[in-house]
Amino acid sequence: MRRHQLAIVVKEKEYTRRIADYIRGSSFGDRWQVSAFTHPDACKQFVKQGYGIDLIAAETDLLRELQPELSHIPAIALVARLGEADGQFELLQFQALPLLLQGITDQFEGLCRKPVKGLAPNTNGKGALVLTVHSASGGVGKTTLALHLAGVASARGLRMLYLNLEKWNTSGLWLQPGGDAGWEGEGLSELLYAIKSGSSSHTSWLAQHRKFHPQLKCDYLYGFRNQEDRATLLPADAAGMVDSIVKSGCYDGVIVDMDDGMDELHYELLMRADRNLWIVSEERSALAKQSQMLHYGRQKYGETFGRIAACSEVVLSGINSELGNPLPAVEAALAPIALPLVREWRRGELHPVWSSSLYRAAVDRLCAYLLGESEESRIHAVG
């Protein structure tokens, strides 16, 4: 791996020394070589002498002095409070060095990321792709599928974020240590407040508050701290939350775990999606509800609902291989990969999300299908 040149431009010399010492003694030393400057003119002269810089991390006022001469070099503003840099990529200057260096690394990868082979550009032409997981019925396995999709995509080297926008979000049972469904710390409520206030520091907020799941190898966000925030969530605000993540440059894909049903919020998110998976269980009532929901969507939203259907497919979940596939055709495209019945998951006990190799293999094949890859090749799953 080639080491990248990081220029740290801050007034305090001791600060630069601490960063350089930490990098040399950590795994970040395999990625970064540091040049430290306490004055912007010294950094400019360094470049004029022919030395290369891959990334600049500088205090906000010093960064302004470096530009526009060095505006061609990716830059991150080191700030005391998020939102100080007027839309510039930001990181809190005074925080634990492992978090600071991880933030610098993540933002650099987002700024420099090249498209992955087999990863088609999304409909908006920029940012991460969005995959929604939706259904007309509850309890059909939306969250289980969404988490596995994030996991298998991350296992293939893609930067993925799992986003749960359900009204009753219990994903913490699988994501939190100890299986706690509740959330402590800043999460979706704070992101929503930032969007409503018109703050431009979404990327910096995301870099500071996203969480990493060690088994799934993907990021996620804490849920709404205040349940009223989710209960009164407006369709435009939900789409704005997704867009803030999509345009951050931090991810290849975002998997949105949605509530069951069909209202204006569902419609807004489904219209925003690049791909959508409708999940139907082997219960005939679930199939009937799905059919009614699709009929309602066409009736209410007319031709625009056809755009949703065109990028959507139905996935059969919990199919008993001993009985075959007893379900009749549905009023939408049917994905050829069905999700197996995992009997141990039906005992009412909390199961580890990554515990069934059979289910994980089926999701792996589903991802291959979604990207049009052959099952023999190593594919990338996108959400």
Side-chain angles (χ1 to χ4, degrees), residues 75-127:
I76 296 172
L78 301 176
V79 299
R81 292 182 299 277
L82 296 180
E84 291 181 355
D86 299 325
Q88 180 81 43
F89 285 101
E90 299 177 331
L91 285 173
L92 290 174
Q93 180 175 356
F94 299 103
Q95 60 173 307
L97 290 180
L99 294 177
L100 175 64
L101 267 297
Q102 188 61 57
I104 288 174
T105 302
D106 289 344
Q107 292 208 19
F108 178 73
E109 290 180 350
L111 288 166
C112 301
R113 184 174 296 279
K114 296 179 180 179
V116 179
K117 183 178 179 181
L119 191 62
N122 71 2
T123 54
N124 287 341
K126 62 179 180 177

Side-chain angles (χ1 to χ4, degrees), residues 175-192:
L175 294 171
Q176 288 281 79
D180 185 2
W183 303 103
E184 294 182 5
E186 291 194 14
L188 296 183
S189 288
E190 287 72 24
L191 178 58
L192 176 61

